[in-house]
């Protein structure tokens, strides 16, 4: 399976600032996904990032708040903009591998606390 | 939208006991995945299920794809302390809108008492 590296692993940020999270994969992948996991909760899909096209956002998530870049087949970034304490969560990068079926693998996540 | 109900929500068991958990939905799924998430880590894939009725094992873990395609089960035999964590199921609905997105269950928090 692909090896996924996320940076930073954790951060503490001030209200009103922005944080960019990086996701690097050791192999070329078509589909990358960004999830949010609020404390004690399950995973919620923010958006799907396909190389060469605009990210597709899920209901309740907008590009102005969570801009995503996907410059190549091994890298993506998620920015959490104008942060508030409600944005305190774990943000997870995931990649899709296709081998007859579609399986998602995850990075270790970025633990964000907003004061 | 589609939802996955996972149960139990949490469980405390004695070391050596067997564990069972399940995911159910009112919708059908094409693929089921089971993950484990340790504190401070991302989810790690345990088992993937591709066909209705399929039974697949990975060491002490056994998972089944329900025959109705609306549910899946995970069993852990002879639990050990390192089985502690949160277990998530994920179901893939039929292909829509050009992507194969997964829906995640609410998680089962497992604690093992030595």
């Amino acid at each position: 399976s692909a090896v996924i590296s996320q940076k930073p692993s954790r951060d503490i940020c001030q209200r009103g600032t922005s944080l960019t999270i990086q996701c690097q994969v050791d192999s070329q992948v078509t589909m990358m996904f960004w999830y949010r996991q609020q404390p004690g909760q399950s995973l919620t899909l923010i958006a799907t990032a396909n190389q060469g096209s605009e990210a597709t956002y899920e209901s309740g998530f907008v590009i102005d708040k969570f801009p995503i870049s996907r410059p190549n087949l091994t890298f993506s970034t998620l920015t959490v903009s104008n942060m508030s304490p409600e944005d305190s969560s774990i943000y997870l990068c995931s990649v899709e591998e296709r081998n007859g079926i579609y399986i998602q693998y995850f990075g270790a996540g970025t633990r964000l606390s907003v004061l | 939208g589609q939802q996955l109900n996972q149960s139990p929500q949490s469980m405390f068991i004695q070391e050596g006991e067997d564990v069972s958990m399940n995911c159910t939905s009112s919708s059908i799924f094409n693929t089921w995945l089971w993950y484990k998430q340790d504190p401070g880590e991302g989810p790690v894939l345990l088992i993937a299920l591709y066909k209705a009725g399929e039974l697949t094992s990975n060491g002490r873990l056994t998972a089944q794809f329900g025959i109705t395609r609306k549910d899946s089960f995970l069993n852990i035999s002879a639990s050990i302390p390192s089985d502690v964590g949160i277990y998530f199921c994920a179901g893939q609905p039929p292909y829509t809108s050009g992507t194969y997105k997964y829906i995640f269950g609410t998680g089962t928090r497992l604690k093992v008492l030595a």
Side-chain angles (χ1 to χ4, degrees), chain A residues 31 35 37 40-43 45 58 92 96 101-108 111, chain B residues 33 35 37 40-43 45 48 50 88 92 99-102 104-106 109:
Chain A
M31 303 295 286
Y35 287 84
Q37 186 177 26
Q41 302 296 313
S42 185
L43 283 70
L45 182 62
E58 298 298 304
L92 293 155
E96 179 184 84
I101 65 164
Y102 296 73
I103 293 182
Q104 288 190 16
Y105 295 96
F106 288 85
R111 278 138 194 85
Chain B
L33 305 179
Y35 292 88
Q37 185 176 28
E41 300 292 329
L45 182 68
Y50 318 133
F88 290 103
Q92 185 186 68
T99 65
Y100 287 89
K101 292 186 290 189
Y102 277 90
F104 282 78
T106 49
R109 286 150 184 77

Side-chain angles (χ1 to χ4, degrees), chain B:
Chain B
Q2 292 169 307
Q3 293 186 338
L4 280 180
N5 300 309
Q6 194 169 341
S7 66
Q9 187 174 29
S10 63
M11 54 195 316
F12 288 79
I13 60 168
Q14 293 288 334
E15 183 177 1
E17 288 185 350
D18 296 343
V19 175
S20 292
M21 61 189 78
N22 66 77
C23 269
T24 60
S25 175
S26 58
S27 305
I28 62 171
F29 292 93
N30 289 345
T31 305
W32 286 95
L33 305 179
W34 282 92
Y35 292 88
K36 180 184 180 223
Q37 185 176 28
D38 291 328
E41 300 292 329
V44 174
L45 182 68
L46 299 174
I47 292 179
L49 300 163
Y50 318 133
K51 295 189 296 187
E54 178 183 2
L55 189 70
T56 297
S57 294
N58 177 8
R60 293 180 295 106
L61 278 62
T62 301
Q64 184 164 22
F65 193 142
I67 195 69
T68 65
R69 296 173 62 194
K70 295 181 179 181
D71 54 14
S72 181
F73 308 87
L74 177 69
N75 296 311
I76 305 173
S77 64
S79 59
I80 59 178
S82 61
D83 290 332
V84 165
I86 305 175
Y87 292 79
F88 290 103
C89 63
Q92 185 186 68
Y95 182 85
T96 56
S97 303
T99 65
Y100 287 89
K101 292 186 290 189
Y102 277 90
I103 299 170
F104 282 78
T106 49
T108 294
R109 286 150 184 77
L110 178 64
K111 297 189 179 181
V112 180
L113 306 174

Side-chain angles (χ1 to χ4, degrees), chain A:
Chain A
S1 63
V3 176
I4 304 163
S5 302
Q6 259 186 260
K7 288 193 297 187
S9 59
R10 62 178 63 243
D11 207 341
I12 301 172
C13 300
Q14 294 295 324
R15 181 195 299 261
T17 62
S18 297
L19 176 72
T20 295
I21 302 167
Q22 299 179 3
C23 181
Q24 179 75 52
V25 191
D26 70 342
S27 58
Q28 294 184 338
V29 294
T30 303
M31 303 295 286
M32 295 180 77
F33 304 87
W34 287 98
Y35 287 84
R36 182 175 72 184
Q37 186 177 26
Q38 294 178 304
Q41 302 296 313
S42 185
L43 283 70
T44 301
L45 182 62
I46 297 172
T48 302
N50 197 358
Q51 193 270 334
S53 62
E54 293 285 326
T56 302
Y57 288 83
E58 298 298 304
S59 176
F61 298 97
V62 295
I63 187 171
D64 290 346
K65 176 67 175 178
F66 297 102
I68 288 172
S69 77
R70 182 79 202 274
N72 57 53
L73 291 173
T74 63
F75 188 77
S76 178
T77 67
L78 169 75
T79 298
V80 186
S81 303
N82 188 25
M83 288 184 284
S84 67
E86 292 71 36
D87 294 319
S88 298
S89 289
I90 301 171
Y91 292 87
L92 293 155
C93 170
S94 169
V95 304
E96 179 184 84
E97 289 196 354
R98 304 178 180 181
N99 185 16
I101 65 164
Y102 296 73
I103 293 182
Q104 288 190 16
Y105 295 96
F106 288 85
T110 296
R111 278 138 194 85
L112 172 62
S113 295
V114 183
L115 305 179

